[in-house]
Amino acid sequence: MPTPSKQKKRKGSSPLAAIVLAAGKGTRMKTRRAKVLHPVCGRPMVYFPVKRALEAGADPVVVVVGHQGDEVERSLRASLPGAPLRFARQERQLGTAHAVLAAKASLRGYTGPVMILSGDTPLLTTSTLASVVDARTAPQSLAFATMDLENPKGYGRVVHAPGKGPALIVEEKDATPQERQIREVNAGLYVADAGFLWSTLSRVDAKNAQREFYLTDLVALAADGPGAVAVRVSPVEAQGVNDLEDMSLATRAMTRRIASSLMKSGVTLEDPERFDADEGVEVGPDTVIEPSVRLRGTTRIGGGCVIGQGSILLDTVVGDGATILPYSHFDRASVGDGCRVGPFARLRPEATLAEGVPVGNFVELKKTSMGKRSKANHLTYLGDATIGADVNVGCGTITCNYDGERKHPTRIGDGVFVGSDAILVAPISIGKGAYVAAGSTLTESVAAGALALGRARQVNKNGWARERAALKASGKEK
Ligand code: UD1
Ligand code: CA
């Protein structure tokens, strides 16, 4: 799976627990939806720090939830089935220290190191998490991540004691004008010993500009006690998402990682800047992806395929050697090896193409399977249909699957030839090897090997045009 930063679990089996803070509303987002639920590459933002903590070897990972907490819990459980997740409620958001304390009961009895992450830092990689874990100088000491920013606005500033390492973190709103000049900021990623954490957090108060319990106070308390160490990490990874513009930048950066991991595994992206993919999509080697393609959800594409410009694939499986021509739209479809689909094809849920099936322009399929080598090359709607092998579906064919109340099935046997512009009123079945004459409207099933004609007999009036012209000339035409 081309997960961008899939690193190995930490060596050995040293214990590690993690707490991911995800209870805040995210006021700066200006949206109704809680910040950590906003999607980055198809996953709620909070999925990423949780996943990376698991990859770093954390067991359990306690997620502190509050705003829209049920939804946060549901989406994480669904996307990480079987993972050692626990959920703790923080009913009122009284600050980051208060949020960590909300996780205390979930870690009762645990005595090892605890990693604390923010739910709004989706770009952190597992190796960065490991570097902070490994930076602790003694089991009791605190390690935390910092970064240097051109514009440190909004972040907690890291104040160092000359020659002694970090002394404290001061939040922007509490900082003196001089402290605000500091460009080394707190990235919001900490590793502390459980015993130190619980005994120290109870001493944190809310005597500050925001009247909140600041987790950042841990640094001063550790500096005075067991020691604190600051680990510089990349700002590209550690910048938090606070508003929708930050979110778009995070999405772009995450997409670039997915793109680069695909390219490294043998996938050609004609323009990685015009490519969108959700976390977890899979593409086989020797596949070529043209510009402006969007691969979403659980989409899996085999090797040696071409995905045409502007195509959108959601939760779709494509076999090996398939060609998807430009501007096709697939949703929960399955495309067999060697199929050739599009341009402008629409495959809706449960459209299933066996090997080598061509589906052409302006063809829509819904809950319809087509057997090997069957064709539907132009302008067709097939819904609730089961189509055998070697069937020709002529241009303009329509299955009338809906009577205004219910949907009805159409069955077409192997080797059937459906002429152009046929209307098949379901429920109906066409037996093996039968022929349907072009322009037919069929309301009754057809036996194997039969020819079905369902249209008015043609009448030719020879010389009609000449007679009409003569009438016109004599002034007698009505
Ligand atoms: C915090 C840090 C700041 C740091 C920055 C890095 C504090 C006091 N400040 O500021 O030093 O530079 O992160 O990104 O910690 N949350 C809760 N419950 C709460 C409050 C917050 O769960 O009561 C969660 C939020 O949902 C969010 C995370 O904690 O996921 C961080 O909170 P946020 O308000 O974004 O903190 P910052 O102001 O960015
Ligand atoms: Ca933040």
Side-chain angles (χ1 to χ4, degrees), residues 28 35 96 118-121 154-155 187-188 238-243 246:
R28 288 165 281 183
K35 173 163 72 179
T96 41
S118 281
D120 64 356
T121 50
Y155 286 87
Q239 282 198 64
V241 171
N242 289 318
D243 60 27
D246 294 342

Side-chain angles (χ1 to χ4, degrees), residues 196-253:
F196 167 77
L197 198 60
W198 307 132
S199 65
T200 314
L201 281 179
S202 55
R203 285 157 56 198
V204 170
D205 60 35
K207 288 181 192 146
N208 53 53
Q210 303 189 82
R211 298 264 160 270
E212 282 183 8
F213 295 90
Y214 287 166
L215 183 57
T216 46
D217 288 357
L218 273 191
V219 172
L221 294 164
D224 277 349
V229 46
V231 185
R232 273 207 171 67
V233 303
S234 142
V236 178
E237 284 189 25
Q239 282 198 64
V241 171
N242 289 318
D243 60 27
L244 287 173
E245 188 177 8
D246 294 342
M247 196 177 77
S248 76
L249 297 173
T251 299
R252 209 54 240 159

Side-chain angles (χ1 to χ4, degrees), residues 39-43 247 251-252 255 258 262 269 271-272 274-279 281-283 289-301 307-316 318 324 326-331:
V40 169
C41 293
R43 309 270 188 179
M247 196 177 77
T251 299
R252 209 54 240 159
T255 308
I258 296 172
L262 289 176
L269 295 180
D271 184 356
R274 285 186 289 158
F275 169 67
D276 285 301
D278 283 352
E279 161 88 1
V281 301
E282 293 173 36
V283 185
I289 298 184
E290 293 178 5
S292 302
V293 163
R294 199 156 186 205
L295 305 179
R296 301 184 50 211
T298 57
T299 292
R300 279 186 289 131
I301 296 170
I307 311 295
Q309 172 144 350
S311 293
I312 300 173
L313 281 67
L314 167 66
D315 297 337
T316 285
V318 177
I324 310 303
Y327 304 105
S328 293
H329 188 283
F330 302 169
D331 176 1

Side-chain angles (χ1 to χ4, degrees), residues 20-26 28 35-36 64-66 90 92-100 117-121 147 154-157 169-172 185-190 210 212-217 238-242:
V20 178
L21 306 184
K25 178 168 192 304
R28 288 165 281 183
K35 173 163 72 179
V36 299
V64 179
V65 298
Q90 187 198 21
R92 291 172 59 213
Q93 284 71 50
L94 302 179
T96 41
H98 182 258
V100 172
L117 308 85
S118 281
D120 64 356
T121 50
M147 55 188 170
Y155 286 87
R157 309 297 204 278
I169 292 171
V170 57
E171 290 302 296
E172 164 120 355
V185 303
N186 171 27
L189 166 63
Y190 319 76
Q210 303 189 82
E212 282 183 8
F213 295 90
Y214 287 166
L215 183 57
T216 46
D217 288 357
Q239 282 198 64
V241 171
N242 289 318

